[in-house]
Amino acid sequence: ETSSGDLRVERPSSCRARQAAAAQHDRSHMPMVALEEPPLSFELETEDPRPPTPEEALSFCRPTNGYLCPLSANTYGIDFLSFAIRDMETNEQLFCVARDPDTPPIDPAMVPPEMEDAVRSISYDFGTEFLRKKSIATQLQFAVGPAAVENFRMIERHYFRDRLIKSFDFTFGFVIPNSSNSWEAIYDMPALDEELLRQMVDAPYETRSDSFYFVGDKLIMHNKASYAYTSAGGPM
């Protein structure tokens, strides 16, 4: 199912640009701290209905205009339960959230197209000091359904406007059926030049990311986020 509207959706062109950062660990990530910002609006992409492979996702050099798979692609019942972020240098916990254990998992069949953004995109404001951190760790608790998950992988591409600034690639590996799991990822943050940092502070929510979740080569989830760095820390 696709939502209708005037938004023209297309794949981002591939590029050979050197990735600003890349990392591989046997652990991974999920989004951060929600705000009451006007939501971004995206649609299921229809011009090329074939979902990308991991290699294609790693070649994208600007955000996708739409989602590259439907919610129903998550046939493994992967469900995010909690998420935390900490500063690797100070061990300070920067963020933590957990879902109410009494809340049932989302049934993709019950989410109308116009409501997909509520479960697939989010906005965060981390404050300017976040841009100075050299390394952060994220810990994701997630559950899976009755099928085994082989080679569970997350590729996360970060952009400022249409410029790739960070890329991360994490592999969890094998997940046993009907299990709850903890996945930790270490993000070694790339050094960004001062002018780019200032532009990112001055342009809230023009820093964006695409998170692609694969089982083997099959894309099963695609989420989006936008970021501001204005809530704390004062001038750069």
Side-chain angles (χ1 to χ4, degrees):
E1 250 180 65
T2 62
S3 54
S4 60
D6 296 329
L7 180 64
R8 181 175 181 272
V9 290
E10 58 183 13
R11 286 184 189 278
S13 59
S14 297
C15 68
R16 294 179 179 237
R18 182 177 61 87
Q19 295 178 4
Q24 280 202 351
H25 299 276
D26 289 336
R27 331 179 202 200
S28 182
H29 155 94
M30 172 193 157
M32 311 174 192
V33 44
L35 299 173
E36 294 299 324
E37 280 295 308
L40 297 172
S41 180
F42 301 99
E43 299 174 355
L44 182 64
E45 192 161 301
T46 57
E47 290 188 358
D48 184 351
R50 180 185 59 82
T53 64
E55 291 70 26
E56 288 171 331
L58 285 168
S59 75
F60 293 166
C61 56
R62 63 178 175 85
T64 67
N65 286 344
Y67 299 110
L68 301 188
C69 68
L71 285 172
S72 59
N74 181 12
T75 57
Y76 295 88
I78 295 172
D79 188 25
F80 297 145
L81 306 175
S82 68
F83 178 65
I85 308 170
R86 64 185 172 89
D87 186 323
M88 284 291 291
E89 290 189 322
T90 65
N91 209 35
E92 175 189 5
Q93 183 166 279
L94 305 173
F95 176 75
C96 184
V97 66
R99 200 185 70 190
D100 185 335
D102 296 327
T103 302
I106 294 172
D107 181 355
M110 300 301 292
V111 180
E114 64 271 16
M115 294 298 294
E116 282 204 15
D117 280 320
V119 296
R120 303 187 75 167
S121 66
I122 195 167
S123 296
Y124 308 109
D125 192 343
F126 291 134
T128 56
E129 76 285 353
F130 190 87
L131 291 170
R132 301 293 186 184
K133 297 191 182 300
K134 296 180 180 179
S135 183
I136 62 170
T138 64
Q139 187 167 47
L140 171 66
Q141 302 286 335
F142 68 98
V144 301
V149 178
E150 297 191 31
N151 193 23
F152 187 30
R153 179 178 180 183
M154 191 277 290
I155 293 172
E156 190 170 279
R157 306 283 277 182
H158 289 250
Y159 312 89
F160 178 64
R161 295 171 175 158
D162 283 344
R163 171 183 174 183
L164 177 67
I165 56 173
K166 307 173 193 175
S167 182
F168 301 96
D169 187 348
F170 301 97
T171 301
F172 187 87
F174 180 80
V175 186
I176 64 174
N178 297 310
S179 63
S180 294
N181 305 270
S182 178
W183 193 353
E184 183 176 79
I186 309 300
Y187 288 72
D188 294 320
M189 310 300 281
L192 303 176
D193 65 73
E194 290 297 319
E195 179 57 27
L196 175 58
L197 293 177
R198 188 167 298 280
Q199 289 179 28
M200 292 167 68
V201 170
D202 291 343
Y205 307 108
E206 292 191 47
T207 303
R208 300 181 183 182
S209 67
D210 283 303
S211 296
F212 304 98
Y213 297 86
F214 293 88
V215 174
D217 288 337
K218 180 184 178 183
L219 180 66
I220 64 162
M221 292 185 286
H222 177 196
N223 297 330
K224 287 177 169 288
S226 61
Y227 307 88
Y229 303 96
T230 61
S231 65
M236 291 288 291

